[in-house]
Amino acid sequence: MIVEVAHRTGVRPERPLSMAVIASLIAIVGSPIAAATVTLLGFLGSWSHRVSS
């Protein structure tokens, strides 16, 4: 799909494909961090700590 759209718009397909690979890598790496943050906020919420003012 990315290659087809790149060809239609006149863009070399290497650039959009590399951007898609980098974005998926960031999403995979960032996912455990997001889960840990939500867990930490859950623990802090149960101890009645306020995260914001």
Side-chain angles (χ1 to χ4, degrees):
M1 178 127 201
I2 295 173
V3 175
E4 291 176 16
V5 173
H7 281 296
R8 270 191 252 140
T9 58
V11 177
R12 291 176 43 192
E14 294 87 11
R15 292 182 180 181
L17 284 173
S18 63
M19 288 181 199
V21 169
I22 292 170
S24 66
L25 178 64
I26 291 171
I28 291 170
V29 171
S31 180
I33 296 170
T37 303
V38 169
T39 303
L40 178 64
L41 289 175
F43 284 133
L44 290 176
S46 67
W47 291 338
S48 300
H49 282 76
R50 293 185 62 113
V51 177
S52 61
S53 56

